[in-house]
Amino acid sequence: MLQIQWTSDYGWQRPRIIPYQEISLDPTACVFHYGFECFEGMKAYKDSTGQIRLFRPHANLERFNKSAARIALPEFNSEELLKLIAEFVKLEAKFISIRPGYSLYLRPVLIGTNRGLGVSAPTSALLYMVASPVGPYFSAGFKPIWLEAASSSYATRAWPGGAGNQKIGGNYAPCIAPEKAAQGRGFQQLLWLFGDDDDITEAGTMNLFIVLRVPGHDKFEIVTPPLDGMILPGVTRDCVLSLARERLQPLGWVISERRICMAEVARASQTGSSVEVFGTGTAAVVSPVKAIKWKEDLVDCGLAPTQNAGKVATLMKNWIEHRQYGVEEHEWSVIVDRISR
């Protein structure tokens, strides 16, 4: 594991890469009482030649810094941290399989560590990173999920002016009990809605995309909710938008970041305009959605009875993975050996 201590008096201390071990903290450490904690999720891959690659690490570290700043934790030099991550990954290279779909999951974490029960900005902190080998999320091919829509009168993931757009622990723990209840009713995840119009925000811990057939026109629209401060700016979300604008927009597709409510999705399903729905995130890349339970209705999301994924979700997964594993050379894929110390 990688560890870097910080204090308000001396700043960042010498980084260390040490054997994985427990962390000892005072019982009054501010992370335990007031939630001073943020984290990231990223992966290291091996291409067909055995070179180790990181996928869009600058985007992850930029978001990590923004999350830290939002909860009064210390910011860091992204380029210097990237060099440390590169050294860490090279040490753990044996845990990265060269097989397609396999990678090393990296979890950088930043916590406040100073002791005391007063509520104030942390005066000491610990940045650390652990890792775990992971395989394909869908080892036997795509398996679409079923969502239950949660209105904001039942449970709210985030709200205007809050911190829903940051990757902090406080955004996750309150979501577990409602999702556990939904799973007991046969749904894999909750679709988080907001406001009187049931605007769509996120699905579980994923960003959501809806593919619609534009009525009266021989073209399609890909819709995802805008980054309005309530939604996490997912790196995979940005990849899908970038690829759609690069490869589908020239073919006449409309790529939209706009508000979309459940009533619109339900109407599209009823009129045959709904093509497909999928979530995006680091773990699965894309996750197709079969149906959404909304109020008393089960809204079909466009997949045929024997279809496990739509064409757009499949294309996006392939396009993104080609860049992750270096099949297609692109600036998103950073070769670790080229990150200068």
Side-chain angles (χ1 to χ4, degrees):
M1 61 193 297
L2 169 68
Q3 283 195 357
I4 318 170
Q5 300 280 354
W6 174 90
T7 68
S8 56
D9 289 334
Y10 299 103
W12 291 104
Q13 307 301 300
R14 181 184 294 274
R16 300 186 302 152
I17 296 177
I18 60 177
Y20 186 95
Q21 58 191 259
E22 294 182 352
I23 294 173
S24 178
L25 294 174
D26 190 274
T28 64
C30 61
V31 63
F32 297 140
H33 299 267
Y34 307 118
F36 287 102
E37 185 270 352
C38 61
F39 65 98
E40 268 302 323
M42 51 201 296
K43 290 180 178 179
Y45 309 81
K46 272 185 183 174
D47 61 26
S48 59
T49 68
Q51 290 187 113
I52 304 173
R53 296 169 177 263
L54 295 171
F55 188 68
R56 303 196 66 181
H58 296 93
N60 286 104
L61 297 183
E62 179 183 0
R63 186 173 65 182
F64 196 17
N65 248 337
K66 288 181 179 179
S67 297
R70 180 64 177 82
I71 55 174
L73 285 168
E75 296 176 66
F76 50 84
N77 183 307
S78 295
E79 291 299 326
E80 292 303 314
L81 181 55
L82 180 57
K83 294 174 187 177
L84 295 172
I85 293 173
E87 290 302 311
F88 177 94
V89 167
K90 284 189 278 189
L91 283 174
E92 303 288 46
K94 65 181 179 182
F95 294 109
I96 312 174
S97 173
I98 201 168
R99 290 179 292 170
Y102 289 78
S103 58
L104 183 68
Y105 182 79
L106 305 173
R107 171 56 63 88
V109 183
L110 180 58
I111 61 174
T113 57
N114 55 282
R115 66 181 69 182
L117 298 178
V119 184
S120 61
T123 56
S124 66
L126 173 66
L127 192 159
Y128 68 92
M129 188 174 74
V130 294
S132 174
V134 292
Y137 193 84
F138 299 107
S139 57
F142 278 121
K143 186 176 181 181
I145 61 173
W146 296 65
L147 301 177
E148 182 179 60
S151 68
S152 54
S153 62
Y154 166 63
T156 303
R157 177 196 166 272
W159 50 90
N165 59 339
Q166 312 297 337
K167 206 166 179 66
I168 59 177
N171 286 335
Y172 293 81
C175 299
I176 301 303
E179 288 205 328
K180 187 176 179 182
Q183 289 164 3
R185 293 186 287 269
F187 300 92
Q188 280 77 41
Q189 295 187 27
L190 281 179
L191 175 62
W192 300 101
L193 307 179
F194 185 80
D196 295 336
D197 294 331
D198 282 348
D199 286 339
I200 290 171
T201 62
E202 295 189 11
T205 58
M206 301 184 294
N207 296 119
L208 197 72
F209 285 82
I210 302 99
V211 183
L212 303 171
R213 185 175 288 104
V214 179
H217 297 84
D218 187 23
K219 61 181 180 181
F220 300 89
E221 181 185 19
I222 298 178
V223 183
T224 193
L227 299 180
D228 56 4
M230 292 190 292
I231 292 173
L232 186 73
V235 176
T236 311
R237 173 189 184 275
D238 186 69
C239 291
V240 169
L241 286 171
S242 297
L243 285 163
R245 288 170 178 144
E246 174 189 331
R247 300 182 178 183
L248 298 180
Q249 194 166 275
L251 301 178
W253 289 58
V254 179
I255 316 302
S256 302
E257 295 179 74
R258 65 172 177 85
R259 287 180 57 194
I260 183 167
C261 63
M262 268 308 302
E264 181 179 350
V265 174
R267 283 195 302 271
S269 177
Q270 293 166 357
T271 61
S273 298
S274 177
V275 178
E276 63 180 284
V277 177
F278 59 91
T280 62
T282 301
V285 183
V286 298
S287 184
V289 176
K290 182 70 173 178
I292 303 169
K293 172 71 162 50
W294 178 53
K295 297 181 178 177
E296 302 304 316
D297 299 322
L298 191 62
V299 179
D300 181 82
C301 292
L303 297 179
T306 58
Q307 190 180 17
N308 287 328
K311 292 182 179 179
V312 177
T314 302
L315 279 174
M316 290 299 172
K317 182 176 185 294
N318 291 337
W319 288 344
I320 291 171
E321 288 185 344
H322 280 182
R323 292 184 177 180
Q324 287 174 335
Y325 290 92
V327 177
E328 176 195 346
E329 286 292 353
H330 192 272
E331 63 181 8
W332 289 349
S333 182
V334 180
I335 297 173
V336 166
D337 281 338
R338 295 180 187 173
I339 299 174
S340 58
R341 295 182 64 178

